[in-house]
Amino acid sequence: RIKLLSAVDVDTETQSIIWYGKSVALDERTLVVGAPFSIINGVRRLGGVFAYQRDGASGLHSPRSLVWPDQQAYENLGTPLVLHSEYLAAGAPAADVDGQEDAGAVCIFARGKDGAIEPRPTAVLTAADPAKNESFGAKLALLGRRLLVGTSDPTDGESSVYVLEPAGADLSRWLQVTRLRGSDTGAEFGSYSLAASGSLIYVGETFVFRRPP
């Protein structure tokens, strides 16, 4: 049976939902939909994230809007989403951090035992040294309990993939395990494609040019 979901399902009294479905994440209990260009309470491109909890065989509950209280305009929350059994990670790659424009951030929303997602983030992750146009959170993937965070090419430097993990059972504290870098500056390493399986991480380099032999 096919069920059609749309922005009409969302309370639009204070929200203009734009790019609904740009990203989705799901498991057997929960569906999450991103709408990163949404206007909320008059703030442009704030970004929206909407969680649907499964209701047995009868379908899905009405969506619950997830809120980042410190969010600003043009941050595009919900551009990528990944759903772990313990948390939801939602990227906001256009977020300004420490005065650095478009440095990017990732919001971590904890999940309860029933899989329901808390409406406010438990943690907001950023690069250890945020850089202008880095777009931390441009892509996300899971490697077990660890979170992989892709970036774009910052104004000064090169794109990379951060490998992060929670500090024990505490989802409010995260540790950087390592940082992976590509072969070329300007290659957008991890900006457009990022995946993991088992112990392997797969990272796309979109703009790598090689002369034929």
Side-chain angles (χ1 to χ4, degrees), residues 54-164:
R54 188 171 180 180
D55 183 19
S58 62
L60 300 169
H61 287 294
S62 297
R64 185 180 196 181
S65 181
L66 307 183
V67 178
W68 177 14
D70 296 329
Q71 200 173 352
Q72 304 295 321
Y74 296 96
E75 293 190 336
N76 298 358
L77 180 68
T79 299
L81 300 168
V82 291
L83 189 60
H84 186 270
S85 60
E86 297 178 56
Y87 63 85
L88 166 76
D96 296 345
V97 180
D98 295 340
Q100 299 297 319
E101 184 179 356
D102 295 345
V106 176
C107 289
I108 302 295
F109 297 87
R111 302 183 71 183
K113 292 182 179 179
D114 62 350
I117 301 171
E118 296 295 326
R120 294 174 181 265
T122 301
V124 177
L125 312 180
T126 61
D129 186 17
K132 183 178 180 180
N133 297 326
E134 186 173 16
S135 298
F136 180 91
K139 284 294 180 183
L140 300 173
L142 294 172
L143 182 65
R145 197 167 182 247
R146 292 177 172 176
L147 177 65
L148 310 180
V149 181
T151 72
S152 185
D153 281 336
T155 301
D156 297 311
E158 59 186 351
S159 54
S160 58
V161 173
Y162 292 82
V163 181
L164 309 171

Side-chain angles (χ1 to χ4, degrees), residues 2-20:
I2 297 174
K3 179 176 177 61
L4 176 65
L5 301 176
S6 73
V8 176
D9 301 319
V10 180
D11 176 14
T12 57
E13 184 175 340
T14 60
Q15 303 175 107
S16 179
I17 309 305
I18 304 174
W19 281 30
Y20 177 91

